[in-house]
Amino acid sequence: MTPAELAQALKEQARQLGFTLAGITSPDPPMHYESYQRWVQAGFHGEMAYLADERALERRADPRRILPECRSILVVGMPYHPPLDPRPKGSLPRGRVAAYAVGVDYHLVIPPRLQQLVEFLEAQTGQSIPNRYYTDTGPLLERDLAQRAGLGWIGKNTCLISPKSGSYFLLGEILLGLELPADRPFVSDHCGTCTRCIEACPTGCIRPDRTLDARQCISYLTIENKGDIPLELRPKLGEWVFGCDICQMVCPWNRRFGQHEVDSVFQPRAGLPFPVIAEELSLTPQAFNRKFKDSPLKRTKRRGYQRNLAVAAANSGEKSLQPILEAASQSHDEPLVSRHANWAAKNLKK
């Protein structure tokens, strides 16, 4: 095979493995690195120290610092189900979980398939190929790489948007010690004058330079934030108990192109994406671990999840949740949950 034929075969193999988007770019330094540096220096990363770590910053500046032999990068996108809307009618008070998190954790799905792509390349070339692969875990500016690989543009909501698929997909990257022809970068900006995502964000975390202040983002507050949710932001979380889809739900590109044929591993598990608040607040540690085995929700741990549920309970305005909140405020084994349940119980009395 010629390098061009090999690149085409690799992208076709990626599509067969469920990556509906696939493109190749060079390992040149990312275009938006200086913007990323300014973002970190401003403290917009919040408590996500791994984003500001000096070594990680250096590696994000140049993919070759991760893999010195790197000569090309494959970037792929795997779709997930768009958010369900609305919640079940006539149901008990419920929270809401971001659409990407309703099935199996993608960190358990994507890396083995990236490994399969490496094995495919090695079988085609008859040689071992130096490589590193990641999905949301490596020191890479992955949306920058995806744009350069032709997959789409970075929208005002900071998501990568494909003109044919919207933004409901998960990214993966393989750094390859093999030279393959790069695809044309995606240079057009199809957000235009639209500001729906900015206007819809309850906390106003989306900044005008296509970055966001993570410290105010609902996804950050419900997942990455391990401590107390700031009092002034709690009412703005609404029913979200893990992540948030609002800025994607209002995007015209998702309304038009956001429906996908999705891998069965991402099928919603029982009770999601609208978990019953009273039931979830009663989960023991053992029940939580059983229920969310191999789920992204394990990231918050039980205490973070039930902290979020308490806030959602207050925001629901459902007086029927008062007893369970009062019980949690007095006897929950996690002080973090007790504090938020106490706040929620008092707010429900108002």
Side-chain angles (χ1 to χ4, degrees):
M1 284 190 188
T2 65
E5 290 171 336
L6 186 57
Q8 190 58 40
L10 176 62
K11 287 183 281 188
E12 179 55 36
Q13 182 68 14
R15 284 186 277 271
Q16 291 182 23
L17 289 173
F19 298 110
T20 57
L21 302 177
I24 295 171
T25 188
S26 70
D28 295 335
M31 298 178 293
H32 299 101
Y33 180 71
E34 289 184 2
S35 174
Y36 177 74
Q37 278 186 309
R38 290 193 297 270
W39 181 78
V40 168
Q41 289 165 0
F44 291 135
H45 61 293
E47 296 178 6
M48 296 180 287
Y50 62 90
L51 294 176
D53 175 80
E54 186 174 340
R55 183 166 178 265
L57 278 170
E58 289 177 359
R59 297 175 89 191
R60 281 183 170 85
D62 187 345
R64 294 184 186 91
R65 294 181 183 174
I66 302 172
L67 182 69
E69 307 96 322
C70 185
R71 299 173 72 184
S72 57
I73 302 174
L74 173 70
V75 187
V76 293
M78 178 173 285
Y80 60 88
H81 288 283
L84 293 177
D85 195 33
R87 71 173 69 196
K89 290 183 179 180
S91 60
L92 296 167
R94 294 173 182 262
R96 183 162 194 165
V97 171
Y100 80 87
V102 300
V104 171
D105 189 342
Y106 66 92
H107 295 96
L108 302 175
V109 176
I110 292 179
R113 300 192 191 190
L114 297 178
Q115 175 62 35
Q116 286 181 260
L117 289 172
V118 172
E119 292 169 358
F120 171 81
L121 266 184
E122 291 180 335
Q124 296 299 312
T125 60
Q127 63 185 41
S128 177
I129 299 172
N131 69 88
R132 295 286 186 277
Y133 51 83
Y134 303 101
T135 178
D136 188 31
T137 51
L140 293 168
L141 298 186
E142 59 179 6
R143 285 166 294 178
D144 194 299
L145 293 173
Q147 181 176 4
R148 214 166 67 198
L151 270 59
W153 77 97
I154 298 173
K156 291 180 182 178
N157 62 0
T158 77
C159 295
L160 189 85
I161 305 174
S162 162
K164 296 181 180 179
S165 308
S167 63
Y168 296 131
F169 55 87
L170 306 156
L171 294 174
E173 307 80 33
I174 310 179
L175 279 60
L176 294 164
L178 176 71
E179 184 130 20
L180 295 172
D183 290 291
R184 294 180 62 182
F186 198 100
V187 295
S188 302
D189 173 17
H190 293 305
C191 286
T193 59
C194 178
T195 55
R196 293 184 195 181
C197 58
I198 296 172
E199 293 161 4
C201 178
T203 64
C205 75
I206 303 174
R207 304 179 67 248
D209 60 351
R210 303 193 190 220
T211 64
L212 56 80
D213 185 346
R215 299 167 300 182
Q216 298 183 61
C217 175
I218 293 175
S219 287
Y220 170 86
L221 291 167
T222 56
I223 302 173
E224 302 295 344
N225 168 42
K226 306 306 179 188
D228 290 80
I229 296 171
L231 285 169
E232 69 276 12
L233 292 176
R234 293 180 194 180
K236 299 180 180 181
L237 266 61
E239 62 189 6
W240 296 98
V241 298
F242 187 94
C244 176
D245 289 318
I246 292 173
C247 67
Q248 296 191 89
M249 291 168 70
V250 300
C251 177
W253 290 93
N254 281 328
R255 288 177 174 270
R256 188 174 179 186
F257 299 111
Q259 301 298 317
H260 304 292
E261 197 172 313
V262 176
D263 194 297
S264 60
V265 297
F266 294 132
Q267 290 292 337
R269 61 177 64 201
L272 298 182
F274 301 106
V276 176
I277 292 175
E279 294 177 2
E280 305 297 280
L281 275 172
S282 300
L283 288 175
T284 65
Q286 296 78 12
F288 173 82
N289 290 335
R290 283 195 305 270
K291 182 166 187 173
F292 295 114
K293 184 178 185 296
D294 297 336
S295 164
L297 274 76
K298 290 288 291 285
R299 284 181 61 190
T300 64
K301 303 189 183 304
R302 169 174 164 264
R303 60 179 173 271
Y305 181 50
Q306 293 183 329
R307 169 202 65 187
N308 301 339
L309 287 160
V311 173
N315 293 336
S316 75
E318 291 285 347
K319 303 295 185 183
S320 62
L321 294 172
Q322 188 81 34
I324 192 170
L325 287 169
E326 291 177 347
S329 71
Q330 296 167 13
S331 59
H332 200 283
D333 57 292
E334 291 284 355
L336 179 68
V337 180
S338 295
R339 289 195 298 274
H340 285 74
N342 183 55
W343 170 85
K346 289 179 179 176
N347 274 264
L348 278 182
K349 286 181 178 178
K350 293 180 181 178

